[in-house]
Amino acid sequence: MTVKKYTGHAGGWGALKSTATHLLKSDNIAKNIKNLLKTNQDHGFDCPGCAWGEKDEPGRFRFCENGAKAVNWEATSRRVDRTFFKEHSVSWLRKQTGYFLEYQGRLAEPVIYNAETDHYDAISWDDAFSVIAKHLNELEDPNQAEFYTSGRASNEAAFLYQLFVRKFGTNNFPDCSNMCHEASGVALKESIGIGKGTVRIEDFEHADGIFVFGQNPGTNHPRMLDTLSHASRRGAKIVTFNPLKERGLERFANPQSAVEMISGGATTISHHYFTPNLGGDMACVRGMVKVLLERHNLAQKNTNKAQQSVFDLDFIQAHTQGLDEYLQLVADTSWQHIIEQSGLTLEQITQATDVYQQSKNVIITWAMGITQHKHSVATIQEITNLQLLFGQIGKPGAGLCPVRGHSNVQGDRTMGINEKPDDKFLDNLAKVFSFTPPKESGHNVVEAIEAMLSGKSKVFIALGGNFVSATPDTTFTEQALTNCKLTVNIATKLNQTHLYPGKTSLILPCLGRTDIDLQGSGEQSVTVEDSFSMVHKSKGVVGSNTENMRSEPAIIAGIAHATLGNTPVEWLRLASNYDLIRNYIAQTLPEFSKMNERLAHPGGFYLGNSAAELSWNTDSQKAQISSNPLPEDIIPASIRALSNNRIFLLQTLRSHDQYNTTVYGFEDRYRGISGERNIILMNPSDISDLALANEDLVDVESLWTDDIERKIYGFKLVSYDIPKGNIAAYFPEANPLVALQNKGDRSDTPASKSIAVIIKKAEQSNRIITTALPLNGKNLSPNNI
Ligand SMILES: Nc1nc2c(c(=O)[nH]1)N[C@H]1C(S)=C(S)[C@@H](COP(=O)(O)OP(=O)(O)OC[C@H]3O[C@@H](n4cnc5c(=O)[nH]c(N)nc54)[C@H](O)[C@@H]3O)O[C@H]1N2
Ligand SMILES: Nc1nc2c(c(=O)[nH]1)N[C@H]1C(S)=C(S)[C@@H](COP(=O)(O)OP(=O)(O)OC[C@H]3O[C@@H](n4cnc5c(=O)[nH]c(N)nc54)[C@H](O)[C@@H]3O)O[C@H]1N2
Ligand SMILES: [Mo]
């Protein structure tokens, strides 16, 4: 492992070099260059990397370094077929890393698990569909099946999937959103009546202040840096809150700007960079509002009537409710509480407030640093309150911007992948398809794991994703899957989830976003929705060696047809021409009316956003200014009481060289960490307080109020610029530490950025990294797993 401080700016030649290296390492350089040029273009495919949007500007490259990696890795010519599975048993494959599995290439043909030999064998598509149909139809209750979705599924696939599952009879739709932006959806729905962001990409051109909370766009949304650098050069002030000094948020050279590339110059992104404690953001915003309230109270004494209010009283009066209760709560929150919890000084909070107050138009963005805490819903509502106090919603250059993760995770929700569907959607489904969809709420991710662990749920079907590695309490989730009678994975690449088969298990290989999708009526395109509610077409361009793969809609149609016959639709006919699926989407969801026609417009179409139009679909028909108490403490007293050792708060995050559970390599370039992923970032003075040294190996144990030991072993300490008491490790390596019940209030999102842990020098000098949980009475230790 090497650790070397990265002193350059983000983007620039480094990003270009890395893109080139990944291209050169790929099997087919010319093909991949051609692919990249089609990324996010009108006649190409939507980048499977992230959900950032694009302005409708012809002639620009629209990919980034990490999008290039995603495209290259999907377009590999390596194949995992029956020969591969003959050579490798499931037990052997389980011992390999995710990196190894991903590297084997694309899944090439359907396979079924043979428990006697512990190998997967080839199976025909028709037989695979029959196996699934038989298992589903034999269940006593449709609620005994779980239907997981990962956010790459297209609108067409997602719509078909939810239609099949609801007709089958359940709302059990655990999905990656539950682990991602669920808190944003819950908070915004309550506060402003719609669970999506209110800004469009053009708004960034009109914002004077942009506040970025808890996200690392240099790695996870690199095209956002392009947007931010334009705003910065135009004079907008950017304020960042992040415990880590993420390089991309400090300085960025745009690989698409000739001047910056040639001059070696870069644009300053953040004018103020604040490093709060993990989970301290709600306190930061509460502090900002407290400063503003104090200024407001002073202003009220002003004799000039026009200057008597700091807040936008007209907006508040016309559009909101809950002001008085909230301001009382702010007044009652002590500065000591705010300062201690935020980890910032009063002066820093005041600086942030000044920028906010001086900006005519403000956008606030956020991602996982905000959504993966116990008090995430409350934090997002606090952010929303701030914007409501100043009427910073529903005007150009202002609003709320949860930056979504997976490239179509927002679209999947719009299509009805939702364990708690709203009545209007169900009524429309009932009307269009003449059946009564189930109303009862289904399972989210945590509930699905619990149901499979207890044996209540017996079938697990996954439309993409890597359930075992993405979810908390890894060992429990593995057990939950192996408890099932049937597990089915529709996937592009082999991953750990496929290696924890139920009694019967199928892997069904599907086409990816970049592949040409040929059906009965010709080449198909699909659609996706970005973070800005823009729906656009995506059409694959790669076309070799995919004969025995099927598209996601074709696979879903095959399963549905085998299970339900031709009800309520002719599944196979829909899969032969996706225009027909889109016609049904248009009939079911009013905002998609004339979908096929509107898609002809370059750049696609905008779904609209009620809150951005100052229409509030809440019970009161007003935007809600919420009153949530600041948490007493980020690490609750009940957890503190569990250990006499020093307790640290751990966040799990992404390196620059991974896509969620897919590890592309070992270069976390902007953090200067190379060659190693089993690491713990820690403040140097914390390392010496523990009487440890940089690069020492440690065991990490998380604290939770059950009697289960959750540990990871032999992680390397890396001395890092991070607030004291806060530490960081990579996702998914640290997932075994997240207790299933350590989750967000009202969102049930695993609190992956808020794990109380204790650190000890590693007991063994060899580096066995695994979990140790007592399961079924068997005490697993690193040596007998
Ligand atoms: N290349 C690439 N692109 C991706 C992904 C990927 O894995 N690789 N994943 C996609 C998906 S699904 C998602 S959801 C997004 C994820 O995008 P991000 O949310 O950027 O992902 P994380 O790596 O989890 O980064 C969390 C950031 O928040 C900070 N943070 C953590 N806790 C706190 C906190 O309490 N307060 C504050 N203020 N900051 C905090 C961390 O230091 C880190 O900078 O990216 C999407 N795009
Ligand atoms: N500790 C911790 N845990 C986390 C997080 C964290 O920050 N910390 N982040 C959470 C977040 S934000 C998310 S979104 C989840 C992600 O959870 P998932 O979405 O379940 O995980 P991914 O790693 O994105 O899934 C990768 C797999 O998807 C399959 N795949 C890729 N492309 C396609 C496709 O086009 N179609 C199909 N059918 N399959 C495809 C491949 O087989 C690949 O192995 O993880 C969550 N888990
Ligand atoms: Mo995500």
Side-chain angles (χ1 to χ4, degrees):
M1 179 184 83
T2 59
V3 181
K4 199 165 159 234
K5 193 169 161 49
Y6 183 86
T7 50
H9 39 253
W13 292 110
L16 219 54
K17 188 171 145 222
S18 165
T19 310
T21 311
H22 275 266
L23 273 171
L24 295 173
K25 274 202 286 192
S26 68
D27 321 291
N28 189 337
I29 303 165
K31 183 182 78 182
N32 282 330
I33 290 176
K34 197 176 116 209
N35 291 346
L36 283 179
L37 297 178
K38 296 254 173 132
T39 312
N40 295 328
Q41 300 286 351
D42 270 337
H43 301 292
F45 52 86
D46 181 79
C47 182
C50 75
W52 193 251
E54 274 299 334
K55 263 180 52 196
D56 189 12
E57 266 178 356
R60 276 163 50 82
F61 298 143
R62 294 165 178 201
F63 61 88
C64 67
E65 174 196 354
N66 279 348
K69 286 183 203 166
V71 169
N72 280 343
W73 281 67
E74 186 168 287
T76 174
S77 56
R78 295 170 68 99
R79 291 291 179 267
V80 170
D81 55 12
R82 65 184 78 186
T83 321
F84 174 89
F85 284 115
K86 230 179 216 105
E87 277 167 19
H88 304 298
S89 72
V90 166
S91 320
W92 184 85
L93 287 167
R94 263 187 201 180
K95 294 197 198 107
Q96 312 312 310
T97 60
Y99 176 68
F100 170 89
L101 300 177
E102 167 73 22
Y103 187 72
Q104 303 313 310
R106 290 283 296 277
L107 292 159
E109 57 183 335
V111 287
I112 184 163
Y113 181 61
N114 181 338
E116 269 167 32
T117 61
D118 192 33
H119 284 262
Y120 274 101
D121 301 324
I123 184 174
S124 74
W125 279 102
D126 282 346
D127 288 348
F129 294 149
S130 303
V131 169
I132 301 171
K134 182 168 169 294
H135 276 85
L136 287 175
N137 286 327
E138 277 174 10
L139 292 175
E140 291 142 27
D141 179 339
N143 293 313
Q144 291 174 335
E146 305 291 344
F147 296 88
Y148 179 67
T149 315
S150 166
R152 269 199 199 175
S154 64
N155 288 334
E156 290 72 8
F159 187 80
L160 219 54
Y161 190 55
Q162 66 80 31
L163 179 62
F164 158 58
V165 173
R166 294 209 160 93
K167 175 66 188 165
F168 174 67
T170 182
N171 282 316
N172 282 349
F173 285 110
D175 86 310
C176 73
S177 237
N178 296 142
M179 298 179 270
C180 187
H181 265 292
E182 187 72 52
S184 307
V186 171
L188 295 179
K189 185 96 188 55
E190 270 179 26
S191 294
I192 59 170
I194 180 168
K196 299 184 186 185
T198 66
V199 302
R200 303 185 66 175
I201 193 147
E202 295 79 6
D203 284 313
F204 284 86
E205 291 167 19
H206 305 287
D208 308 296
I210 301 171
F211 285 67
V212 179
F213 282 91
Q215 64 169 128
N216 179 22
T219 289
N220 298 314
H221 303 92
R223 288 175 299 125
M224 179 176 174
L225 290 189
D226 183 25
T227 308
L228 290 181
S229 67
H230 273 103
S232 170
R233 267 181 273 138
R234 193 176 45 72
K237 290 277 176 288
I238 298 173
V239 180
T240 291
F241 292 83
N242 195 315
L244 299 182
K245 288 267 182 63
E246 303 288 21
R247 203 59 187 138
L249 286 165
E250 295 184 312
R251 291 177 66 68
F252 171 67
N254 190 345
Q256 303 206 13
S257 155
V259 175
E260 288 191 343
M261 292 301 278
I262 292 164
S263 68
T267 304
T268 296
I269 299 291
S270 300
H271 301 88
H272 289 285
Y273 202 122
F274 299 116
T275 53
N277 283 325
L278 286 172
D281 305 271
M282 183 176 175
C284 294
V285 180
R286 177 69 47 99
M288 287 170 69
V289 178
K290 199 169 167 76
V291 172
L292 291 160
L293 177 61
E294 285 164 5
R295 288 179 187 170
H296 179 76
N297 289 341
L298 263 180
Q300 297 232 290
K301 298 187 184 125
N302 205 315
T303 45
N304 181 342
K305 216 169 169 3
Q307 291 170 4
Q308 277 177 356
S309 175
V310 162
F311 303 128
D312 184 342
L313 290 182
D314 292 342
F315 182 94
I316 291 170
Q317 178 74 32
H319 294 291
T320 71
Q321 68 163 26
L323 177 75
D324 293 345
E325 192 189 341
Y326 175 62
L327 290 186
Q328 189 57 53
L329 184 67
V330 173
D332 291 346
T333 313
S334 74
W335 273 118
Q336 191 195 351
H337 193 177
I338 289 171
I339 301 296
E340 260 177 35
Q341 190 163 110
S342 68
L344 300 186
T345 61
L346 177 57
E347 195 191 352
Q348 288 172 318
I349 291 176
T350 307
Q351 280 172 350
T353 313
D354 288 343
V355 177
Y356 189 92
Q357 207 183 357
Q358 285 152 16
S359 305
K360 200 163 142 258
N361 301 320
V362 181
I363 292 177
I364 303 186
T365 79
W366 69 89
M368 296 304 102
I370 294 299
T371 62
Q372 296 177 334
H373 288 280
K374 183 168 165 31
H375 61 304
S376 292
V377 171
T379 303
I380 295 160
Q381 292 188 329
E382 195 76 12
I383 289 171
T384 309
N385 287 352
L386 174 61
Q387 292 289 72
L388 289 172
L389 290 175
F390 289 85
Q392 294 286 4
I393 294 182
K395 63 173 184 175
L400 296 163
C401 182
V403 181
R404 306 298 299 241
H406 263 302
S407 50
N408 197 39
V409 62
Q410 184 158 319
D412 290 347
R413 267 290 155 90
T414 310
M415 291 297 118
I417 302 296
N418 194 340
E419 75 280 6
K420 294 190 195 86
D422 64 48
D423 290 345
K424 212 169 107 206
F425 178 79
L426 293 182
D427 291 347
N428 289 350
L429 267 191
K431 247 185 256 147
V432 176
F433 298 100
S434 308
F435 75 104
T436 312
K439 292 232 155 170
E440 192 190 329
S441 289
H443 293 153
N444 59 24
V445 162
V446 169
E447 291 161 343
I449 296 171
E450 287 166 346
M452 292 187 283
L453 263 178
S454 71
K456 242 173 86 190
S457 285
K458 300 174 192 328
V459 172
F460 172 82
I461 298 184
L463 180 59
N466 184 359
F467 195 75
V468 153
S469 303
T471 52
D473 253 345
T474 312
T475 311
F476 279 130
T477 310
E478 292 165 358
Q479 180 80 53
L481 289 184
T482 50
N483 277 358
C484 286
K485 282 193 175 153
L486 173 72
T487 52
V488 180
N489 283 285
I490 301 166
T492 51
K493 293 282 189 77
L494 186 63
N495 66 43
Q496 287 87 344
T497 304
H498 312 157
L499 307 175
Y500 290 88
K503 282 201 183 56
T504 302
S505 178
L506 291 157
I507 308 175
L508 305 179
C510 68
L511 297 175
R513 196 72 69 68
T514 55
D515 298 314
I516 292 174
D517 180 354
L518 193 60
Q519 302 296 336
S521 66
E523 275 186 27
Q524 306 295 311
S525 49
V526 292
T527 59
V528 294
E529 175 185 339
D530 67 23
S531 279
F532 306 104
S533 305
M534 289 295 298
V535 176
H536 40 85
K537 265 197 175 171
S538 171
K539 192 155 187 257
V541 296
V542 187
S544 56
N545 220 356
T546 55
E547 299 75 27
N548 219 355
M549 302 173 194
R550 290 201 182 171
S551 75
E552 290 179 339
I555 296 172
I556 295 158
I559 298 174
H561 182 254
T563 312
L564 304 173
N566 273 331
T567 48
V569 290
E570 290 177 65
W571 300 101
L572 302 182
R573 199 167 71 88
L574 294 190
S576 74
N577 179 356
Y578 302 171
D579 279 350
L580 304 176
I581 306 178
R582 285 187 281 270
N583 286 341
Y584 276 127
I585 296 175
Q587 283 179 51
T588 310
L589 292 157
E591 65 271 35
F592 285 81
S593 72
K594 301 210 179 98
M595 182 176 185
N596 278 314
E597 286 106 297
R598 282 157 84 201
L599 283 170
H601 180 266
F605 61 89
Y606 176 52
L607 286 178
N609 180 289
S610 48
E613 289 156 22
L614 301 175
S615 156
W616 316 102
N617 293 329
T618 56
D619 290 343
S620 62
Q621 304 291 306
K622 295 244 168 157
Q624 181 66 38
I625 298 180
S626 318
S627 292
N628 297 298
L630 205 57
E632 248 344 279
D633 199 344
I634 300 300
I635 302 177
S638 55
I639 301 285
R640 284 204 181 276
L642 295 174
S643 175
N644 294 325
N645 291 70
R646 168 102 187 265
I647 300 176
F648 290 86
L649 198 60
L650 168 76
Q651 66 152 318
T652 55
L653 43 54
R654 291 153 174 81
S655 96
H656 193 63
D657 226 1
Q658 74 184 83
Y659 193 89
N660 294 340
T661 66
T662 300
V663 175
Y664 298 128
F666 297 83
E667 292 292 323
D668 197 359
R669 191 167 74 249
Y670 298 144
R671 299 195 186 108
I673 298 163
S674 173
E676 181 66 84
R677 286 186 52 90
N678 295 314
I679 51 121
I680 301 287
L681 306 181
M682 190 183 264
N683 185 292
S685 74
D686 283 341
I687 296 182
S688 50
D689 286 354
L690 291 176
L692 292 167
N694 190 27
E695 301 206 14
D696 271 358
L697 297 186
V698 294
D699 297 340
V700 185
E701 180 178 356
S702 63
L703 302 173
W704 192 249
T705 49
D706 50 20
D707 286 331
I708 290 165
E709 187 180 67
R710 296 177 176 85
K711 251 181 162 176
I712 51 177
Y713 299 89
F715 274 51
K716 209 172 248 187
L717 281 182
V718 173
S719 172
Y720 204 79
D721 181 6
I722 182 170
K724 280 207 233 171
N726 293 193
I727 58 175
Y730 293 130
F731 147 58
E733 283 78 355
N735 283 39
L737 296 176
V738 190
L740 201 55
Q741 296 308 323
N742 181 10
K743 56 186 185 174
D745 295 334
R746 291 190 281 155
S747 66
D748 269 8
T749 299
S752 312
K753 302 284 191 270
S754 192
I755 311 159
V757 298
I758 52 174
I759 307 271
K760 290 191 181 146
K761 199 172 171 78
E763 279 168 19
Q764 306 180 7
S765 52
N766 54 340
R767 307 199 56 208
I768 304 162
I769 297 115
T770 180
T771 60
L773 298 178
L775 269 179
N776 295 343
K778 189 173 134 207
N779 197 5
L780 300 179
S781 80
N783 296 325
N784 66 15
I785 219 164

